[in-house]
Amino acid sequence: MMLVAVLFAQQSPSYASSKDPLKVGVNIWVGWMPWWIVKEKGLLEKNHANAKLVFFGVQANSMTALASGHLDACSLATNDIVSIAAKGVGTKIVLLNDESYGADMLVTRNIDSVKDLKGKKIALEVGGVSNFFLNTVLEKNGVSPKDVQLLNMGAADAGSAFLAKTVDAAVTWEPYGSQAIKSGGKFLATSKDTPNAIVDVLAVSDETAKNRSEDVKRVLNAWFDALDYIKTNPDDAYKIMAKASDVSVKEFKEMWEGVRMYSREDNVAALGTPSKQGPYYKTVSDMNKFMLEQKLISESVTSSSVIDSSFVKGGK
């Protein structure tokens, strides 16, 4: 599988003119794999969206690119957007892609309960969504996050550390979680145990939301067309997404069961409106609280400042 990792350190930011294609960042994650269907089936072109997809091998690079103006939009996790907004960068969440419903997981070896994690080494991305997930699991089971030893590494490296038996536990996601299980690990907890906590989104810069609203809506139309394609042509769709994920179709189908995809109707219900807020407002608020407590951000971010539900309404 070839991924295009785009590095922007030597470039200066420049917002797209009305004639430039919107640059939409895409990362590897089971809930974002429909973007590969958008690409393979030419759905941006079919929806007359003046946009192009930019594929990343490292999620942190795409987050930096959006924050610095080198991307106009990007699929990221809720915590990524809170982090960007806390630094004063105007960003709007315009679409909910998916909710992790089992695809994020706490994998252990020879540890049978959450309480037995006390004093153990756990590999995860400190300050990321994995950290939020772990803290939620620990607190639900009466264990303080201070009682465990955290080793900071990304999801792939956390999975590798677990395979190498250098850590007692790891918080990771698919496909790394399934690989850990095959090596003799077990799921001690998954995101099924923390509903509505881990939500992945498409966010755009304030500049893009203001000046390129029609193209943003057309990008969303292409995304929803991809979700429809998965329903109507599942065999072909799973082949495309499995290939991009570098796993078998069987493995991908199992991974796909670990996410709940948001339809347009789901988006409207979850986002609500500024006057009648949907449940996703609480998701952002909870993440903001966690990040403040962990000193990951120094400025509070309000849900209403980063959510714009206007783009998912109406549709085609």
Side-chain angles (χ1 to χ4, degrees), residues 6 53 172 187 218 224 248 253 261 267:
V6 184
L53 302 179
T172 186
F187 295 140
R218 289 167 181 166
F224 289 123
S248 69
K253 286 182 178 179
M261 305 305 296
N267 265 269

Side-chain angles (χ1 to χ4, degrees), residues 22 38 54-55 92-93 108 121 148 168 179-180 201 205 225-226 235-236 251 274 276-277 300 303 306:
L22 292 182
V38 170
V54 183
F55 297 95
K92 292 291 184 290
I93 294 167
T108 62
K121 295 178 181 178
V148 299
D168 306 297
Q179 294 168 1
V201 306
S205 67
D225 280 355
D235 290 343
D236 187 45
E251 288 171 327
K276 191 174 181 181
Q277 300 176 353
S300 185
S303 301
V306 294

Side-chain angles (χ1 to χ4, degrees), residues 26-198:
V26 178
N27 296 282
I28 285 284
W29 157 250
V30 59
W32 291 326
M33 301 321 291
W35 286 121
W36 271 262
I37 294 176
V38 170
K39 176 181 179 291
E40 291 295 324
K41 298 302 174 182
L43 298 181
L44 290 174
E45 294 80 3
K46 289 180 181 178
N47 282 280
H48 306 289
N50 185 14
K52 65 179 182 180
L53 302 179
V54 183
F55 297 95
F56 286 79
V58 179
Q59 187 167 322
N61 288 347
S62 68
M63 178 181 169
T64 299
L66 179 65
S68 62
H70 293 106
L71 286 176
D72 304 293
C74 191
S75 275
L76 291 165
T78 297
N79 63 294
D80 296 327
I81 306 308
V82 171
S83 180
I84 291 172
K87 295 175 183 175
V89 180
T91 313
K92 292 291 184 290
I93 294 167
V94 297
L95 169 71
L96 306 185
N97 295 125
D98 68 274
E99 173 192 339
S100 179
Y101 193 66
D104 286 86
M105 56 204 68
L106 170 60
V107 185
T108 62
R109 184 182 286 106
N110 301 321
I111 297 173
D112 297 320
S113 75
V114 173
K115 294 184 184 299
D116 292 334
L117 287 171
K118 290 182 179 181
K120 302 298 185 181
K121 295 178 181 178
I122 305 177
L124 53 66
E125 184 179 357
V126 174
V129 68
S130 295
N131 198 165
F132 178 66
F133 165 64
L134 176 65
N135 280 23
T136 304
V137 170
L138 292 175
E139 289 170 1
K140 283 181 65 176
N141 287 273
V143 179
S144 170
K146 297 179 181 179
D147 292 336
V148 299
Q149 300 179 51
L150 301 184
L151 301 180
N152 188 21
M153 56 188 76
D157 290 336
S160 296
F162 187 85
L163 292 176
K165 299 184 179 180
T166 59
V167 294
D168 306 297
V171 180
T172 186
W173 55 67
E174 295 290 20
Y176 315 115
S178 291
Q179 294 168 1
I181 296 303
K182 290 178 181 177
S183 75
K186 65 177 291 185
F187 295 140
L188 197 59
T190 76
S191 47
K192 281 187 179 180
D193 303 307
T194 57
N196 303 313
I198 304 176

